[in-house]
């Protein structure tokens, strides 16, 4: 019966790109003092996809170790959340399903609502596992965030994927059923189908995010949710890591608590280490924050973690999870540090070239240059079809 089964995140794995651009390099190009990036927005570097990487290769890179560890027998559903998809019709998760050799007896679907849809995927997965606790759902969030060159948003670009295995009796995090929701029809950030870069009203997007924090928290507590001081840590969506500070400060004020920088750092500090190096990974960002928290904090066993997921446009959700005893033995901290540390640093000219690169849309054969040293690559386009391979 719903409620009797413990459901949550059984495994979590992170992947990112071949290349990295540091904010020192960006600052040297555009004449900005690097302190604005390091301290003002809390970013040090951004992941940049190679010419043969995209959301599919990152998603497969993130999910492959999960499938290798647990097998695929119980995975009946794959949900891939993204806002930078590669096709208007076919779900990107089908390419991943194929690359990983998953069973044909599975459903695969793609979800979109800006940065929020990774959370929608997780919530839908919980519902499916409630219905049949013998099934597992592979939830993947994968995105490449891209703004116009020389725009204020450029410094908040990034890319990453997180794969999560959702099932009964989870090894990492037990998720609670109660959620607080908030939706508002606003234009703070969006990307029309004919554009490759996002449009954004930067200041408006920050205040929209903060309004959504209030709205989701109000709904959560109105439905009998936990009190603020019951949480050991908070994971926020991180378009840039200082946003998590702003959001938590706002929540403390709204809920009538004293605001102390030390206390904010204590409850969110560990969630920002990876995002600071990867940049905004949209749908994956909050779950990159969770990976960072689990990998960096001292023993969190039994502690409640609060999640605030925000997607422009806008939808937000606040929910909670409890860290499961024995979780540390199941972490992938070494692999996560390796994925971040192995990226090759590129210069500004190379970054700009990759930023502006696109495949011709003529239906011809267009092989992608061999660049990535990761496990999966985009081989190219042929007859308008994307071709992927395991390296
Ligand atoms: P900007 O206008 O260039 O920066 O762009 P700024 O002048 O506002 O400065 C940023 C911060 O750095 C400020 O701090 C400055 O004071 C500080 P704040 O006042 O905000 O606390 N600063 C310095 N600090 C130390 N030393 C210095 C220094 N100089 C300045 N020398 C902006 C900033 C975030 C607007 C821009 O990067 C942008 O447009 N980003 C994209 C939009 C975005 O990330 N919005 C966040 C909320 S919306 C969201 O999260 C959803 C999203 O992920 C999309 C989705 O849902 O799909 C984006």
């Amino acid at each position: 019966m719903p409620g009797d089964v413990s459901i949550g995140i059984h495994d979590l794995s992170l992947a990112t790109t071949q290349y990295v651009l540091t904010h020192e390099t960006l600052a040297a190009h555009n004449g900005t003092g690097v302190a604005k990036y390091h301290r003002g927005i809390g970013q040090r570097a951004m992941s940049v996809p190679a010419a043969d990487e995209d959301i599919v290769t990152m998603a497969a890179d993130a999910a492959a170790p999960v499938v290798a560890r647990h097998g695929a027998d119980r995975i009946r559903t794959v949900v891939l959340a993204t806002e930078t998809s590669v096709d208007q019709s076919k779900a990107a998760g089908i390419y991943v399903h194929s690359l990983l050799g998953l069973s044909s007896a599975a459903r695969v679907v793609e979800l979109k609502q800006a940065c929020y849809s990774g959370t929608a995927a997780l919530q839908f997965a919980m519902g499916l596992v409630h219905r049949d606790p013998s099934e597992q759902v592979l939830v993947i969030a994968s995105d490449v965030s891209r703004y116009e060159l020389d725009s204020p948003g450029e410094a908040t670009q990034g890319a990453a994927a997180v794969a999560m295995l959702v099932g009964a009796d989870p090894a990492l995090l037990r998720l609670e059923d109660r959620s607080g929701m908030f939706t508002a029809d606003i234009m703070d950030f969006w990307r029309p189908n004919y554009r490759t870069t996002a449009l954004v009203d930067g200041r408006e997007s920050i205040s929209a995010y903060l309004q959504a924090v209030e709205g989701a928290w109000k709904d959560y507590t109105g439905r009998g949710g936990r009190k603020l001081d019951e949480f050991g840590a908070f994971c926020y969506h991180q378009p840039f890591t200082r946003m998590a500070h702003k959001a938590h400060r706002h929540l403390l004020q709204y809920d009538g608590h004293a605001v102390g920088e030390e206390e904010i750092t204590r409850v969110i500090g560990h969630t920002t280490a990876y995002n600071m190096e990867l940049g905004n990974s949209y749908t994956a960002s909050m779950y990159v924050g969770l990976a960072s928290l689990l990998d960096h904090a001292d023993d969190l066993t039994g502690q409640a973690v609060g999640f605030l997921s925000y997607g422009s446009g806008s939808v937000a959700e606040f929910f909670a999870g409890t860290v499961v005893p024995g979780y540390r033995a199941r972490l992938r901290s070494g692999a996560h540090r390796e994925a971040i540390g192995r990226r090759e640093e590129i210069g500004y000219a190379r970054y700009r070239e990759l930023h502006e690169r696109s495949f011709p849309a003529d239906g011809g054969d267009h092989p992608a240059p061999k660049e990535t040293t990761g496990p999966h690559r985009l081989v190219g386009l042929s007859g308008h079809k994307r071709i992927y391979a395991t390296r």
Side-chain angles (χ1 to χ4, degrees), residues 36 40 83 114-115 152 156 189 203 205 237 239-240 246 280 311-312:
K36 172 171 171 180
E83 59 174 300
C115 301
T156 66
F189 165 104
R203 287 283 129 200
S205 73
H237 166 54
F240 49 93
K246 285 181 196 293
N280 192 356
S312 287

Side-chain angles (χ1 to χ4, degrees), residues 15-20 53 61 334-345 371-376 391:
T16 185
T17 60
Q18 179 70 15
Y19 299 133
V20 61
E53 290 179 322
D61 291 354
H336 293 163
R337 290 194 186 107
E338 153 81 12
I340 297 167
R342 68 181 273 282
R343 293 170 303 167
E344 250 176 81
E345 189 179 332
E371 294 183 11
T372 183
T373 55
H376 303 95
R391 278 195 336 114

